[in-house]
Amino acid sequence: MLRPVQTAAPSVKPVSLADMKAQTRVDFADDDTLLQSMIDAAVSYLDGYGGILGRALVQQTWRQDFAAFDDVLRLPLGNLIAVSSVQYFDTANALQTASASLYGSFTDEAGPYIGLLTGQSWPSTYSRDDAVRVTWTAGYGANASDVPAAIRHAIILLASHWYQNREAVNEGSFSELPLAVQSLLAPHRQIGF
């Protein structure tokens, strides 16, 4: 399985600059760029394939390539909203779209996946590392308010912590994340396969 590729980024951030300024009690515009960069860093730390939560926050589109079809094609990123397409390179190496009647999309304790339906069989593919392409939409929803409040608050706390502690090491504490952030995020981590 190759690394997934984001094909459409979220249209909004899960946390606004105004939310961040309210938390940090910043009532001037001088640090707006710095505050926004800290929000962006906190979001990228949590969101998407590289994020520690293992899920998409605000609606975004991803593509995962596989070397071949299998009964179960695991998608490395939840929350599954919809599968846009399952495409494959046929034996002549031409890109085709698989019929949606062949498969279903599901989510179990290991995350989202595409499953071959009973009585169906996948078409034959050309031998290549990206023979099968699954494109799907993931996230809690299209709006920032769709993201759970605990995750939004953790983003604000983390970005606020970075704003107030601008050095790489803080003498008082050596934890990777502030305890409140860890506690808010723990129930939302997706354990991969």
Side-chain angles (χ1 to χ4, degrees):
M1 180 168 79
L2 300 172
R3 182 179 176 89
V5 176
Q6 186 181 55
T7 60
S11 59
V12 297
K13 301 275 184 194
V15 170
S16 71
L17 180 60
D19 295 335
M20 177 70 174
K21 289 178 84 166
Q23 172 69 25
T24 55
R25 297 182 184 156
V26 172
D27 59 359
F28 51 89
D30 294 353
D31 284 351
D32 284 3
T33 302
L34 178 62
L35 289 168
Q36 186 61 57
S37 72
M38 296 198 177
I39 292 169
D40 295 344
V43 170
S44 69
Y45 183 70
L46 303 178
D47 187 33
Y49 181 70
I52 66 166
L53 291 180
R55 62 180 68 241
L57 299 180
V58 179
Q59 182 175 315
Q60 49 198 273
T61 305
W62 289 80
R63 188 186 84 224
Q64 177 64 63
D65 296 338
F66 300 88
F69 280 115
D70 202 347
D71 289 347
V72 171
L73 299 172
R74 287 272 171 202
L75 303 176
L77 191 65
N79 298 330
L80 178 65
I81 293 174
V83 173
S84 306
S85 67
V86 175
Q87 296 179 301
Y88 64 97
F89 288 91
D90 65 16
T91 54
N93 202 24
L95 188 62
Q96 305 290 336
T97 301
S99 170
S101 65
L102 297 177
Y103 61 89
S105 57
F106 309 96
T107 300
D108 64 12
E109 68 281 349
Y113 66 95
I114 304 299
L116 184 64
L117 296 177
T118 304
Q120 300 295 326
S121 60
W122 292 116
S124 298
T125 60
Y126 193 79
S127 179
R128 53 187 285 171
D129 289 340
D130 62 348
V132 177
R133 292 181 172 178
V134 177
T135 303
W136 78 103
T137 305
Y140 286 101
N143 302 308
S145 61
D146 295 327
V147 177
I151 294 174
R152 288 194 330 272
H153 191 61
I155 291 168
I156 291 169
L157 287 177
L158 186 57
S160 176
H161 172 75
W162 290 338
Y163 177 72
Q164 294 169 6
N165 302 284
R166 298 185 195 186
E167 299 300 320
V169 176
N170 183 3
E171 289 181 25
S173 171
F174 294 101
S175 65
E176 181 181 343
L177 291 174
L179 182 58
V181 174
Q182 291 177 17
S183 299
L184 289 166
L185 295 177
H188 299 283
R189 288 184 191 241
Q190 180 173 309
I191 307 302
F193 52 95

